[in-house]
């Protein structure tokens, strides 16, 4: 199951910079994770300063 970015996202971009498969892109007001590309590694969730990424 791919990770998801909630509405708590502050669009800091930290998650995008650590994603090893480039599954994260800037969306409308928050970042988004492409579920088809995400490998569920959790690197993004560990990087998020506001805990806006959940499995």
């Amino acid at each position: 199951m791919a990770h998801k970015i909630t509405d708590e996202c502050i669009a800091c971009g930290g998650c995008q910079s650590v994603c090893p498969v480039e599954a994260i892109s800037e969306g409308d007001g928050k970042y988004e994770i492409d579920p088809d590309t995400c490998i569920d590694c959790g690197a993004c969730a560990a990087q998020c300063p506001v805990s806006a990424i959940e499995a």
Side-chain angles (χ1 to χ4, degrees):
M1 175 71 83
H3 281 68
K4 293 182 182 178
I5 300 178
T6 68
D7 289 339
E8 301 299 315
C9 176
I10 58 172
C12 69
C15 58
Q16 185 181 34
S17 66
V18 298
C19 182
V21 294
E22 299 180 359
I24 303 174
S25 60
E26 193 170 1
D28 187 23
K30 68 176 188 165
Y31 279 73
E32 298 174 350
I33 299 174
D34 178 352
D36 294 329
T37 306
C38 178
I39 59 171
D40 201 28
C41 68
C44 58
Q47 182 70 23
C48 184
V50 295
S51 300
I53 302 173
E54 53 191 38

